[in-house]
């Protein structure tokens, strides 16, 4: 889809900068310009489209939709709605209370809370730009599966007593929030797009620059040996390293792309990305206000184990999708 | 006019707070701006997404980082 851009940037590097793509520096410069333009185009397009869709799914409506389902389909619905409902970790507490107060089971609430941060429009756009749409879609599917399975496990473990008591006593008022017009939705999508790009472009460019350097220079043999699909500990290490990186997650994708071309396992790169978004310290601190440490520990452990598992699976099937 | 910004202290909430203050200043309104961080009070307004803005007890928006311009038009409608 971006062949034209590849050729255009090749011309730029060869004719304007006078560098050959066969040299390390020429290869790096080409990677930087090609990737930057491609990612910015896809980011703008994807965030705008998804934000527009999101304007139809307020958390209040999401809560209503979920209540209409039963059993496991409730978890599946919650995970899917987690993709389209606007969410940021600062909203996790009011959202949690709203769900529980509305009679939505704890496991279903966690299905939503696990999938929602993992599957976000910016990660999807960059994955698409870096790895192609098949991997981006697989990432979404895995995010949903993780949410559904994680929620079901939390439900089976009967952890309701580890929710702070006051949450169950809370009474909510029903505000009458006005229906948006078409113009409101376009405006919402536009301001959301500008806001997200304004926030992440620095990390993405730094990520692309590091990726470009790796692309031109990193020793392939050493990387394949230590972080390739053949090393079983790589996925585990990637998950652990990822957790403190939270908001810089998006910048790590172009790095992952460059590493992948150098022989690092796809599952390793994928586990790294999922862990950066799914598990963050700021969110844990906020959630502590509504749930007790034991439940937080369950949430973290189930999500982390799930991510490691997905990582191994991707390493196993990578050759089928790339 | 009484304005309440609901949010538990994330970056987006502080952004909305400063936008609200700018909007009040630019319109020259006589308004009190209060930041609500207590989760029980936030929930009493029925919002499930923050940051949110409450104008005289009524939720104006929830779960978005409204710009100064957007807030100004909300305040203008509310003050009529």
């Amino acid at each position: 889809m971006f062949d034209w851009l590849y050729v255009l940037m090749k011309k730029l590097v060869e004719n304007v900068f006078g560098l050959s793509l066969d040299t390390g520096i020429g290869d790096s410069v080409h990677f930087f310009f090609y990737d930057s333009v491609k990612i910015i185009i896809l980011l703008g397009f994807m965030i705008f489209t998804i934000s527009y869709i999101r304007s139809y799914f307020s958390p209040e409506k999401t809560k209503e939709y979920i209540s209409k389902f039963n059993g496991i389909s409730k978890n599946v619905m919650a995970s899917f709605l987690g993709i389209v409902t606007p969410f940021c970790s600062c909203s996790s507490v009011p959202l949690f209370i709203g769900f529980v107060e509305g009679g939505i089971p704890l496991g279903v609430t966690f299905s939503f809370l696990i999938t929602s941060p993992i599957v976000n429009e910016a990660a999807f756009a960059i994955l698409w730009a870096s790895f192609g749409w098949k991997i981006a879609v697989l990432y979404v599917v895995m995010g949903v599966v993780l949410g559904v399975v994680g929620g079901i496990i939390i439900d089976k473990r009967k952890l309701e007593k580890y929710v702070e008591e006051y949450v169950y006593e809370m009474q909510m008022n029903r505000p009458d929030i006005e229906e948006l017009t078409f113009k409101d939705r376009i405006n919402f999508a536009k301001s959301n797009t500008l806001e997200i790009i304004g926030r992440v472009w620095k990390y993405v460019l730094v990520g692309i620059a590091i990726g470009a350097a790796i692309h031109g220079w990193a020793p392939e043999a050493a990387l394949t040996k230590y972080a390739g699909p053949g090393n079983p500990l790589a996925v585990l290490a990637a998950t652990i390293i990822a957790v403190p990186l939270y908001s810089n997650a998006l910048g790590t994708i172009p790095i992952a792309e460059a590493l992948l071309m150098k022989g690092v396992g796809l599952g390793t790169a994928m586990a790294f990305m999922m862990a950066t978004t799914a598990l963050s310290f700021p969110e844990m601190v906020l959630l502590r206000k509504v749930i007790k440490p034991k439940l937080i520990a369950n949430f973290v452990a189930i999500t982390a184990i799930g991510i490691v598992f997905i990582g191994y699976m991707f390493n196993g099937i990578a050759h089928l999708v790339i | 006019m009484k304005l309440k910004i609901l949010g538990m202290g994330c970056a987006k909430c502080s952004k909305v707070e400063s936008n609200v203050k700018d909007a009040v200043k630019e319109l020259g309104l006589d308004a009190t701006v209060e930041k609500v961080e207590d989760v029980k009070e936030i929930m009493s307004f029925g919002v499930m997404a923050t940051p949110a803005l409450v104008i005289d007890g009524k939720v104006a928006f929830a779960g978005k980082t409204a710009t100064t311009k957007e807030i100004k038009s909300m305040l203008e409608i509310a003050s009529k």
Side-chain angles (χ1 to χ4, degrees), chain B residues 12-67:
Chain B
K12 287 182 183 177
C13 308
S14 336
K15 180 84 192 133
V16 167
E17 189 185 8
S18 77
N19 287 352
V20 168
K21 285 183 176 158
D22 288 346
V24 168
K25 208 191 269 171
E26 283 172 33
L27 291 172
L29 287 175
D30 178 27
T32 57
V33 181
E34 185 196 344
K35 196 159 180 217
V36 179
E37 296 197 343
D38 177 58
V39 64
K40 288 180 198 172
E41 199 181 340
I42 292 176
M43 296 309 291
S44 72
F45 290 100
V47 301
M48 283 169 66
T50 55
L53 175 67
V54 176
I55 304 173
D56 289 328
K58 194 170 176 292
V59 179
F61 66 81
K64 73 170 188 174
T65 323
T67 60

Side-chain angles (χ1 to χ4, degrees), chain A residues 279-299:
Chain A
L279 299 168
S280 76
F281 288 125
E283 193 188 344
M284 301 307 146
V285 171
L286 284 170
L287 279 177
R288 176 64 196 91
K289 288 184 202 245
V290 279
I291 56 183
K292 292 174 185 169
K294 180 140 189 210
L295 182 47
I296 296 185
N298 266 278
F299 166 52

Side-chain angles (χ1 to χ4, degrees), chain A residues 119-134:
Chain A
V119 185
N120 62 74
E121 61 270 43
F124 184 76
I126 299 182
L127 273 173
W128 184 4
S130 296
F131 299 118
W133 67 269
K134 281 187 209 159

